[in-house]
Amino acid sequence: MSNEITQVKGCEFTTDELQRFHYYYKYDWAAAGLGSAPVSERIQHFIETVDPAINSNRLQEWLRTMGIVDESEKSEQARLYERFEQFDFAAAVGFNQMLANVYATDDVSKHGVGERMDRAKAQYYSDNVEPLVYSEYKEYKEVNAPKPVCPYQDLWDLKGADKESADTDKFANVRTIDIAQLLDPDNMDVLTVGAINRFIDAAKSAYGQKYFAVAVVNSRCNGPEPVFLPALSSSGDCSETLKAAMRLQIELRNLNKTKPLVFFANGVVDTSTLGILMSTVDIVTSEMFCVSIGSVSQSSQKYPLTALYDWAHLSSHQTNVAKGTAEYILCSPDLVLRSAEWSTLGLGIGFVSHRKFASGMEQIILAASCPPPHTRDALRKACAVESVYSGPSKINVWEQEISKYFAPLADSKTVLELADELRAVKAPWADKYVGFASTTESNNVAKARVAGMQRVCGLEYSQALALELSAAIAWSAGTTEASKLFSRNIPSLSDLLSENTRATPEPQGSGALQNEVAGECPFAKMYRKNPDRFKHVNLGSIADHHSLNL
């Protein structure tokens, strides 16, 4: 058997040579103190200290084939184009004004957007830095493009994958909120009331006209199990934590009505903070994203009632989501939602691989620097360009079962009836799923979630939030019976949140939390502000009135 690599036409390197050359390419030059050393010096060091048997001439030939040449071999034209490619356009004053033309068409292919972006960069660079002709640059790149002679080129070509974290500070027109900087230094594993209040203050600071968009990131999303949104603190008075989280959720939704709000969720999101995450649909995830939403998880049993309004309206807002999907998700004993499921549910706008997440984030935030009214459109198109397939969803395969067994839960079917039906199916999937009824705790979680969704379905958004908050506070105090959690008497959201409300200055363009609730219809707002004015109205006659889709 020949050791010649023949998968790619023109390859003249043996398998042994390619293995040695790839090892050279991946070598940690910075650790060796040769991060900026010329190629010749690197080769000499590699031969002397790592692989004396490597053929330096063949290695140099392979490097030239891959487009890697020594600085001394570069022409002045090559140096010009290298300076152009290394120029920081994100920090360049006025470049964001040119982004509207980049994303002005419906073509969101990587090639189309990339070419329009290169044209815009070349024009800006030529007008403001040094002369550069785009047509000559493009011709040079085509002639000198690396030749695809290595069948393993995609394994080492990690363009955009060498950034450990995104440099978000250079985007002056995008307000970046770093969750890691909001957490308590001595308690960074949970969201305390103090951390949530700092989050609210950061959101309020983003209303200024200086900012075109808001990006929520977490610079601590590293390691094998990165955490993007940690759990709500369960120590002390949980009611104050829940109220603070609700204020944050309302503030973020209000903010999202005025400008794009995008979450870069490159890590674990705790079930208790789902309401915060679901304040927007502009969510970018990676393979590190996950939510352990199963009813047997510890977080679900501490704070099971979160984002009930969003779950209750999931199928009606997302036409491709089967009725009963929310019930299937929230009753499942051990379901973990990952990026594939999140995308299928229509709750996110893109998936970027973890190894390229930092560079992808920078490209999307650069697009978010585009001035209004093009900001949101540019952001979403940039996300489409940077996104890749997130993989198959493990929810879609159960569509028939969801429609048959779980859809009726939205009406009058009870969780106990569901458990009896699943036991009668006598199938492995049903036997596993019915595990939610195996313990009192997980059974109570499933009952409360289903009862909550049934109850909030016909309510206005502000009423749904009030009911969810009051039920969550009651749950944290030890009440787990669904009938007691979701009584017919709906408390006032403003009354719930007004207790110990922090006296913070309100940003221009944002009403007080008790006066503004995103997604609330005008009638509900008037009634909430002045209930006595509507004493003569029979509220029972308008029980089926649904919210406006704002």
Side-chain angles (χ1 to χ4, degrees):
M1 181 176 177
S2 172
N3 63 353
E4 191 80 14
I5 297 296
T6 58
Q7 293 97 321
V8 178
K9 184 178 180 180
C11 181
E12 299 177 353
F13 302 101
T14 66
T15 302
D16 179 67
E17 285 179 320
L18 289 174
Q19 289 174 341
R20 292 172 182 271
F21 299 162
H22 291 169
Y23 187 69
Y24 166 89
Y25 187 86
K26 292 181 178 181
Y27 189 71
D28 190 351
W29 298 108
L34 299 172
S36 57
V39 174
S40 56
E41 188 175 338
R42 287 185 175 187
I43 293 177
Q44 182 179 353
H45 171 84
F46 194 80
I47 292 175
E48 292 176 353
T49 62
V50 181
D51 188 359
I54 199 169
N55 187 315
S56 62
N57 292 330
R58 293 282 285 173
L59 174 58
Q60 286 180 317
E61 183 181 346
W62 178 79
L63 290 173
R64 281 192 290 270
T65 302
M66 295 297 116
I68 304 170
V69 296
D70 206 333
E71 191 67 28
S72 60
E73 299 179 30
K74 295 179 182 177
S75 64
E76 183 55 40
Q77 187 183 33
R79 291 191 176 93
L80 166 65
Y81 296 148
E82 192 172 87
R83 290 194 298 272
F84 165 64
E85 292 172 348
Q86 294 174 352
F87 184 76
D88 189 359
F89 289 93
V93 178
F95 176 71
N96 63 319
Q97 302 291 329
M98 307 176 71
L99 293 176
N101 293 330
V102 175
Y103 297 100
T105 72
D106 293 331
D107 177 14
V108 291
S109 66
K110 201 169 187 70
H111 172 75
V113 172
E115 184 174 359
R116 293 195 298 275
M117 182 68 78
D118 287 344
R119 285 184 181 275
K121 288 180 176 180
Q123 180 182 339
Y124 181 92
Y125 191 85
S126 182
D127 293 344
N128 297 278
V129 184
E130 58 182 321
L132 183 144
V133 180
Y134 175 73
S135 58
E136 295 178 357
Y137 165 74
K138 186 176 180 181
E139 181 181 357
Y140 174 87
K141 296 298 290 185
E142 290 175 352
V143 172
N144 294 276
K147 300 175 180 59
V149 299
C150 175
Y152 307 116
Q153 184 168 343
D154 62 318
L155 298 180
W156 61 265
D157 186 9
L158 303 178
K159 183 179 180 181
D162 54 348
K163 296 180 69 69
E164 292 186 1
S165 60
D167 183 7
T168 56
D169 293 336
K170 61 185 178 183
F171 300 98
N173 297 113
V174 177
R175 174 67 168 99
T176 301
I177 300 176
D178 187 354
I179 296 172
Q181 296 179 3
L182 305 176
L183 301 175
D184 294 347
D186 56 345
N187 200 5
M188 302 193 75
D189 294 330
V190 294
L191 274 178
T192 62
V193 172
I196 296 172
N197 287 337
R198 287 189 286 274
F199 205 150
I200 294 173
D201 289 339
K204 287 184 175 183
S205 71
Y207 281 94
Q209 294 184 351
K210 171 186 177 182
Y211 300 118
F212 303 153
V214 182
V216 180
V217 304
N218 191 330
S219 57
R220 293 183 72 235
C221 274
N222 46 39
E225 295 183 1
V227 175
F228 177 73
L229 262 178
L232 295 180
S233 173
S234 57
S235 62
D237 187 357
C238 292
S239 65
E240 290 306 311
T241 306
L242 289 165
K243 290 176 186 178
M246 185 62 73
R247 293 189 195 103
L248 172 59
Q249 182 178 330
I250 294 172
E251 191 65 56
L252 291 175
R253 290 182 186 249
N254 283 334
L255 179 61
N256 195 34
K257 289 171 63 179
T258 66
K259 60 190 64 180
L261 169 66
V262 57
F263 279 78
F264 290 94
N266 187 26
V268 177
V269 174
D270 191 83
T271 305
S272 61
T273 53
L274 266 182
I276 298 172
L277 180 71
M278 295 171 74
S279 299
T280 178
V281 295
D282 291 326
I283 302 170
V284 182
T285 65
S286 76
E287 61 268 34
M288 309 307 291
F289 169 82
C290 71
V291 184
S292 297
I293 202 166
S295 57
V296 301
S297 73
Q298 289 186 354
S299 182
S300 290
Q301 293 181 9
K302 286 181 181 177
Y303 295 112
L305 308 174
T306 179
L308 288 180
Y309 184 88
D310 298 288
W311 289 119
H313 293 83
L314 181 66
S315 297
S316 59
H317 288 173
Q318 306 295 336
T319 56
N320 62 329
V321 176
K323 185 179 179 181
T325 300
E327 287 77 6
Y328 168 80
I329 291 171
L330 296 183
C331 287
S332 172
D334 54 3
L335 180 64
V336 177
L337 295 176
R338 301 190 184 275
S339 293
E341 291 75 45
W342 201 255
S343 300
T344 299
L345 297 172
L347 299 176
I349 59 171
F351 172 85
V352 180
S353 66
H354 179 67
R355 69 173 191 167
K356 294 188 176 182
F357 202 82
S359 59
M361 185 192 304
E362 288 189 1
Q363 292 301 312
I364 295 169
I365 296 180
L366 174 61
S369 303
C370 180
H374 311 286
T375 312
R376 196 181 298 272
D377 183 55
L379 183 154
R380 290 181 174 176
K381 286 180 177 176
C383 184
V385 171
E386 297 299 321
S387 294
V388 294
Y389 178 54
S390 58
S393 167
K394 57 189 175 189
I395 292 179
N396 286 356
V397 296
W398 301 109
E399 201 166 289
Q400 282 187 323
E401 290 79 3
I402 288 172
S403 298
K404 182 177 180 180
Y405 297 104
F406 297 90
L409 286 172
D411 301 317
S412 58
K413 184 169 158 182
T414 68
V415 172
L416 289 177
E417 290 171 338
L418 170 66
D420 290 339
E421 276 190 293
L422 293 180
R423 291 188 185 100
V425 173
K426 298 188 183 304
W429 75 268
D431 293 339
K432 180 180 179 182
Y433 192 97
V434 82
F436 76 83
S438 61
T439 67
T440 302
E441 292 79 10
S442 59
N443 195 25
N444 286 337
V445 169
K447 286 182 185 178
R449 285 174 167 177
V450 171
M453 285 193 293
Q454 291 175 344
R455 186 73 173 86
V456 304
C457 226
L459 298 179
E460 291 294 337
Y461 183 63
S462 61
Q463 292 178 308
L465 288 186
L467 191 63
E468 177 185 317
L469 178 57
S470 64
I473 292 174
W475 179 281
S476 67
T479 302
T480 57
E481 295 180 40
S483 59
K484 294 181 179 179
L485 291 170
F486 302 101
S487 63
R488 294 298 298 177
N489 298 321
I490 303 175
S492 165
L493 180 61
S494 57
D495 289 343
L496 284 170
L497 294 179
S498 62
E499 301 173 17
N500 300 323
T501 300
R502 298 181 312 130
T504 54
E506 294 174 19
Q508 185 176 2
S510 169
L513 293 181
Q514 62 266 28
N515 293 326
E516 295 292 338
V517 177
E520 184 177 34
C521 89
F523 175 81
K525 182 184 296 183
M526 289 188 291
Y527 177 79
R528 180 166 52 80
K529 289 182 179 179
N530 188 5
D532 292 336
R533 179 182 173 190
F534 300 94
K535 283 183 177 180
H536 64 284
V537 178
N538 180 8
L539 295 179
S541 66
I542 57 173
D544 294 331
H545 182 62
H546 294 283
S547 65
L548 295 176
N549 185 12
L550 299 179

